[in-house]
């Protein structure tokens, strides 16, 4: 079974490396611009980890036109422009697009090279590209410097047609398939999971498939488990999967076992869809989420959002998450 080492109050929070470019996101409906926001999986994930008081290093590239203030400075490429995505919410559904929107990459920044990564070791690495910026050799370098690597499959299987519309290719054809045995977790949405053989991939690494309002499922070599969702009033789905992954890894960093960490991921994903752009994860917002109130009660809250994530185990029990056991960590796995 895969578990994590519990953290004590005197144990320093483990280090995390996030790799993925910041973007400019433009939301359109009816031919009109609805909103312009900071985008990119790295922005949503760093937002969650900051809220959970997890230290991290961010490697991200932007162009000279980057226009948003951020807490972790990106690498500015003087000869490039920032990646820009247009999200169309009224163009219907096709087999390679999200059901809720059609994404187009209208501008692209330089890819992230292995030499752009810091020359140090990390406990956790997160490969979360959205515009094709993560190269196979970059992911291989992450595996070398990070003890456990988490990958969002969109970083591996996204392709772009002549108009910049996001298409998906099969994982086996992506150029990354040979690295799967060296990964710890691969996260995919239910749409993206159709482009890989889950039954095969789960033999190499743990697979987490998100189902939006229906929560998520975790697959490992010898079993699987469904994790209950949190209710949400969806306004914009952008970044929900990214926030899920941030909450999931944040939970593991704080010492939770995988099912409990996945529940944290579901929680942050539910908060994100209720906002346009990056949500603010403050105490008042969490207190308004009645389903998490029993986790927060009695916790010592220091700074932005330091709460006892271990209490989430009680929530797991009350939600009667299916499954009777989890993986135990073994030295050879």
């Amino acid at each position: 079974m895969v578990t994590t080492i519990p953290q004590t109050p005197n144990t320093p929070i483990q280090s995390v490396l996030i790799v993925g470019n910041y973007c400019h996101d433009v939301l359109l409906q009816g031919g009109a611009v609805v909103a312009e926001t900071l985008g990119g999986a790295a922005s949503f994930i760093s937002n969650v980890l900051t809220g959970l008081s997890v230290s991290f290093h961010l490697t991200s590239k932007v162009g000279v036109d980057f226009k948003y203030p951020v807490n972790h400075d990106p690498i500015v490429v003087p000869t490039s422009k920032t990646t820009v995505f247009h999200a169309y919410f009224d163009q219907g559904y096709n087999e390679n697009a999200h059901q809720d929107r059609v994404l187009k990459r209208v501008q692209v920044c330089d890819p992230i090279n292995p030499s752009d990564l810091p020359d140090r070791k990390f406990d956790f690495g997160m490969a979360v590209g959205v515009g094709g910026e993560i190269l196979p050799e970059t992911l291989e370098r992450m595996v070398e410097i990070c003890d456990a690597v988490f990958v969002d499959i969109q970083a591996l299987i996204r392709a772009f047609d002549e108009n910049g519309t996001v298409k998906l290719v099969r994982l086996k054809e992506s150029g990354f398939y040979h690295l799967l045995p060296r990964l710890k977790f691969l996260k995919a949405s239910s749409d993206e999971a159709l482009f890989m053989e889950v039954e095969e991939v789960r033999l190499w690494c743990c697979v987490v498939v998100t189902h939006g309002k229906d929560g998520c499922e975790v697959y490992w070599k010898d079993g699987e488990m469904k994790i209950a969702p949190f209710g949400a009033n969806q306004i914009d789905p952008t970044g929900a999967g990214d926030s899920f992954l941030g909450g999931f890894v944040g939970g593991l960093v704080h010492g939770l076992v995988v099912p409990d960490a996945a529940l944290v991921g579901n929680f942050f994903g539910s908060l994100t869809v209720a906002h346009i752009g990056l949500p603010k994860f403050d105490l008042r917002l969490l207190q308004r989420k009645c389903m998490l109130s029993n986790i927060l009660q009695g916790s010592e809250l220091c700074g932005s959002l330091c709460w006892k994530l271990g209490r989430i185990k009680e929530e797991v029990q009350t939600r009667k998450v299916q499954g009777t056991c989890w993986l135990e960590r073994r030295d050879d796995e």
Side-chain angles (χ1 to χ4, degrees):
M1 269 180 58
V2 174
T3 61
T4 56
I5 301 173
Q7 302 291 316
T8 66
N10 296 323
T11 302
I13 298 300
Q14 297 165 304
S15 58
V16 178
L17 171 64
I18 304 172
V19 181
N21 285 350
Y22 286 131
C23 302
H24 292 166
D25 281 354
V26 181
L27 283 59
L28 300 102
Q29 190 166 26
V33 174
V34 177
E36 297 185 33
T37 68
L38 171 65
S43 65
F44 286 92
I45 290 171
S46 60
N47 186 43
V48 172
L49 293 186
T50 297
L52 291 174
S53 300
V54 172
S55 64
F56 60 90
H57 177 96
L58 175 64
T59 298
S60 181
K61 283 185 173 180
V62 299
V64 293
D65 59 338
F66 186 62
K67 60 184 180 181
Y68 293 102
V70 289
N71 294 326
H72 291 74
D73 293 334
I75 300 169
V76 179
V77 183
T79 58
S80 183
K81 292 186 176 181
T82 304
T83 299
V84 177
F85 276 96
H86 285 183
Y88 297 86
F89 285 83
D90 51 5
Q91 292 191 0
Y93 170 80
N94 64 64
E95 62 181 1
N96 263 324
H98 296 275
Q99 290 184 352
D100 42 38
R101 66 198 189 280
V102 173
L103 291 177
K104 291 187 178 182
R105 188 187 67 179
V106 300
Q107 193 167 276
V108 60
C109 191
D110 288 1
I112 298 172
N113 299 303
S115 59
D116 296 317
L117 302 180
D119 186 19
R120 53 165 289 199
K121 298 287 288 185
F122 293 87
D123 297 296
F124 299 90
M126 303 179 69
V128 292
V130 294
E133 67 267 30
I134 293 181
L135 308 173
E137 55 266 34
T138 305
L139 181 57
E140 188 164 12
R141 178 58 181 162
M142 290 184 65
V143 171
E144 293 172 354
I145 65 175
C146 301
D147 292 337
V149 174
F150 298 70
V151 178
D152 192 325
I153 198 173
Q154 67 181 356
L156 313 183
I157 66 172
R158 276 191 175 183
F160 308 89
D161 67 14
E162 63 278 6
N163 297 316
T165 302
V166 174
K167 303 292 184 181
L168 302 179
V169 300
R170 299 205 66 80
L171 182 58
K172 285 186 175 181
E173 303 167 0
S174 66
F176 292 90
Y177 196 79
H178 66 287
L179 293 172
L180 290 181
R182 303 173 68 184
L183 306 180
K184 290 298 183 183
F185 288 88
L186 182 66
K187 174 260 174 189
S189 68
S190 55
D191 291 338
E192 293 164 339
L194 300 176
F195 290 83
M196 67 172 169
E197 289 71 33
V198 173
E199 293 303 315
E200 184 174 326
V201 175
R202 70 195 289 184
L203 300 178
W204 298 110
C205 64
C206 190
V207 178
V208 182
V209 179
T210 58
H211 296 282
K213 63 181 179 62
D214 296 318
C216 68
E217 290 181 275
V218 182
Y219 301 87
W220 64 99
K221 183 177 180 179
D222 301 315
E224 59 194 63
M225 181 178 291
K226 293 183 178 180
I227 308 298
F230 285 88
N233 295 320
Q234 179 169 303
I235 296 176
D236 176 17
T238 304
D242 307 323
S243 294
F244 166 87
L245 188 56
F248 179 61
V249 173
L252 294 175
V253 169
H254 277 282
L256 297 184
V257 293
V258 171
D260 300 2
L263 190 62
V264 176
N266 284 346
F267 174 65
F268 279 99
S270 72
L271 293 181
T272 299
V273 299
H275 297 78
I276 294 178
L278 293 178
K280 293 182 178 180
F281 298 128
D282 58 34
L283 177 59
R284 288 174 296 176
L285 179 61
L286 291 174
Q287 287 176 328
R288 288 198 294 268
K289 302 293 287 186
C290 60
M291 284 182 287
L292 208 64
S293 61
N294 65 331
I295 298 173
L296 294 172
Q297 288 174 0
S299 298
E300 294 180 4
L301 295 160
C302 304
S304 60
L305 187 60
C306 296
W307 41 282
K308 293 180 180 178
L309 286 171
R311 293 287 301 279
I312 205 165
K313 295 178 182 178
E314 300 175 12
E315 185 74 8
V316 175
Q317 296 302 319
T318 60
R319 287 169 169 273
K320 300 180 180 178
V321 175
Q322 296 181 357
T324 59
C325 64
W326 188 245
L327 300 169
E328 283 185 6
R329 189 181 198 127
R330 294 201 297 263
D331 290 339
D332 59 347
E333 292 188 283

